[in-house]
């Protein structure tokens, strides 16, 4: 609002003492202070209200006014209740620094002025933002892209003083307004995403309010305009692919007009997201074509030709065809047949992003197709990175889910499972069929593990862990009971810790000294415990066969 509008409101009891030529200045807020130096509480554009308690003599006015001007204050309003009239020295100082000065009649409370200014400023900002949002929406629907989520968030920051961020369901930061300042910590992003997914799963109405570290956030879903819960058969078909808008504010007491405005902002961002998804079409089509060639047994030369087309798109400027890794992902829901292929595809694209990457355009080196409920990623590796046969480079299963496990577990909690399998790097088209089967086998190993979110890599396919998931449950129970139940019963009755001792002994490769040191026992005490294990089970821990049986029993238990 303009300063001139304050003089036109008789109820405010304001009298202009100086600065008539500055009445077109804009007021963006109001602050009441009697501090000698209120600079730490000023951000610019305020109408400052003061009762003059800071003034002890005429020399105090000049430094006080200078501080206000340096902080970009719009105007000063001094109350007459304390001194009767506004001192001439304050009038002179304000005139010298061209700071408009008002006198507030003693019958008018500062709270009255504050309430009026806040109401007017908030209303004008909301109206301005609504107009900008509407204009931006029309521009995007009829013409070129509007500049991405950052542009929309900057509107929230500049026009409503709202700090806001767009997050992926994995907790990755996609965009943030300039007013939001430094990026949210990764831990905060992950917790906000987890809270949002949990609230959505439990059917709570958005926006979801979350208190983290003393700060309240309101979370709004950003749903794809092409596939929403209204068009999906089940909300779980979109749960893990929707973005969210996190606003640093408590929306619980917002008026309907402001909530509607924020919902409009989410729709605006969803249009930008759809544009991003449309840009992925070429990469998805390339992956689909290669996948179909591999699965139908096409000649390696035909697959190689298709890879040569894909390489410049996925790794522009590389100059040579890279090596490739295959990753398979699947989302399953207990007892229900839910179409999860598109969600697995979008989720895998998100998971494969570098956790430190920010922004919506992050997947220019990822091609993901889906067939049925399975998503399959074709990940290129530059030739230099793949020279080690993929043993220490490329995507590693054990770190793939580290940064996204907690949010996705919250979204899957109760009845969902996400499993991924990662192949080794292959050097040519001939190796892609084997890489696909390898990734699928690894995913089945991951599916046999406890937990909502699991991954397995190709390294595990050459280990005993490949066999364990496929042992029938009744055989597994009988085998472990025969070896371990006597030890568990003994531990329960005598608190002897035979099971932990057995685990440590095997983990130390049967070394008495190392095992005793790890358990903080005397070697003779360790020998007594191992002897008791052998006596109760009839096995000999000096024999390789018996060591292996105990090892497998512990792994399967």
């Amino acid at each position: 609002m303009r300063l001139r509008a304050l003089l036109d409101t008789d109820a405010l009891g304001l009298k202009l003492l100086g600065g008539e030529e500055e009445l077109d200045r804009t007021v963006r807020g109001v602050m009441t202070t009697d501090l000698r130096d209120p600079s730490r509480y000023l951000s610019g554009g305020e109408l400052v209200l003061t009762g003059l308690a800071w003034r002890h003599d005429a020399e105090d006015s000049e430094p006080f006014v200078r501080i206000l001007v340096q902080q970009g204050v719009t105007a000063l309003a001094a109350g007459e209740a304390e001194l009767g009239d506004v001192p001439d020295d304050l009038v002179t100082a304000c005139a010298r620094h061209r700071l408009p000065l008002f006198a507030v009649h003693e019958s008018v409370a500062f709270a009255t002025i504050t309430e009026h200014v806040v109401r007017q400023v908030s209303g004008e900002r909301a109206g301005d933002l609504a107009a900008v949002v509407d204009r931006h929406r029309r521009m995007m629907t009829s013409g070129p892209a509007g500049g991405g989520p950052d542009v929309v968030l900057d509107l929230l920051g500049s026009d409503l003083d709202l700090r806001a961020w767009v997050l992926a369901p994995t907790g990755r930061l996609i965009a943030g307004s300039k007013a939001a300042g430094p990026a949210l910590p990764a831990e905060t992003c992950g917790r906000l995403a987890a809270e949002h997914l949990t609230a959505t799963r439990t059917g709570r109405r958005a926006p979801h309010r979350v208190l983290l570290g003393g700060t309240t956030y309101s979370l709004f879903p950003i749903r794809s305009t092409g596939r929403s819960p209204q068009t999906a058969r089940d909300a779980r078909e979109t749960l893990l692919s929707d973005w969210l808008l996190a606003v640093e504010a408590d929306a619980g007491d917002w008026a309907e007009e402001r909530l509607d405005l924020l919902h409009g902002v989410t729709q605006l961002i969803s249009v930008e997201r759809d544009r991003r998804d449309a840009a992925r079409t070429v990469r998805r089509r390339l992956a689909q074509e290669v996948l179909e060639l591999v699965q139908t047994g096409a000649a390696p030369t035909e697959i190689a030709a298709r890879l040569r087309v894909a390489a410049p798109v996925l790794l522009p400027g590389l100059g040579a065809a890279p090596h490739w890794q295959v990753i398979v992902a699947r989302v399953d829901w207990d007892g229900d047949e839910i179409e999860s292929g598109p969600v697995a595809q979008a989720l895998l694209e998100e998971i494969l992003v570098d956790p430190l990457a920010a922004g919506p355009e992050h997947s220019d080196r990822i091609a993901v197709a889906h067939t049925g409920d399975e998503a399959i990623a074709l990940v290129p590796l530059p030739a230099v990175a793949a020279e080690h046969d993929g043993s220490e480079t490329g995507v590693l299963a054990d770190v793939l889910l580290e940064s996204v496990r907690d949010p996705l577990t919250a979204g899957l909690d109760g009845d969902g499972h996400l499993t991924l399998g990662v192949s080794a790097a292959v050097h040519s088209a001939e190796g892609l069929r084997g890489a696909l089967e390898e990734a699928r086998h690894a995913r089945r190993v991951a599916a046999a593990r406890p937990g909502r979110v699991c991954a397995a890599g190709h390294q595990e396919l050459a280990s005993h862990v490949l066999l364990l998931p496929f042992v029938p449950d009744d055989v597994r129970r009988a085998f472990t009971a025969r070896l371990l139940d006597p030890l568990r019963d003994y531990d329960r009755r005598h608190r002897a810790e035979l099971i932990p001792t057995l685990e440590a002994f095997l983990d130390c490769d049967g070394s008495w000294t190392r095992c005793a040191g790890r358990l903080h026992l005397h070697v003779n005490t360790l020998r007594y415990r191992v002897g008791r294990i052998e006596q109760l089970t009839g096995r000999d821990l000096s024999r390789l066969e018996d060591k292996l049986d105990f090892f497998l029993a512990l792994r399967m238990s």
Side-chain angles (χ1 to χ4, degrees), residues 14 47-51 75-79 100-104 110 113:
L14 295 178
L47 168 66
V48 172
L49 307 176
T50 180
L76 174 65
L101 175 63
F102 298 93
V104 182
F110 282 176
I113 300 174

Side-chain angles (χ1 to χ4, degrees), residues 34 75 77 87 109 111 163 168 182 187 189 290 323 380 399 430-431 447 450 480 533 548:
D34 276 315
R163 290 158 47 87
E187 180 181 359
C189 290
V290 173
H323 300 326
V399 299
E430 289 90 339
T480 58
I533 291 171
L548 181 58

Side-chain angles (χ1 to χ4, degrees), residues 119-193:
R119 185 168 60 248
Q120 292 298 317
V121 170
S122 297
E124 290 178 10
R125 286 179 181 172
D128 291 345
L129 181 57
V132 173
V133 168
D134 184 62
R135 184 166 64 252
H136 199 74
R137 182 187 292 113
R138 290 199 305 271
M139 180 182 70
M140 287 197 309
T141 55
S142 62
D150 303 86
V151 173
V152 184
L153 298 185
D154 285 341
L155 296 178
L156 288 179
S158 62
D159 286 37
L160 286 185
D161 292 333
L162 290 176
R163 290 158 47 87
W165 302 266
V166 175
L167 305 177
T170 59
R172 190 178 67 85
L173 180 64
I174 293 172
S177 61
K178 293 176 182 176
L184 280 180
E187 180 181 359
T188 301
C189 290
R191 291 185 63 186
L192 290 175

Side-chain angles (χ1 to χ4, degrees), residues 500-517:
T501 300
L502 176 61
E503 291 175 333
F505 186 73
L506 295 175
D507 194 44
C508 292
D509 298 323
S511 169
W512 298 97
T513 304
R514 281 196 293 127
C515 184

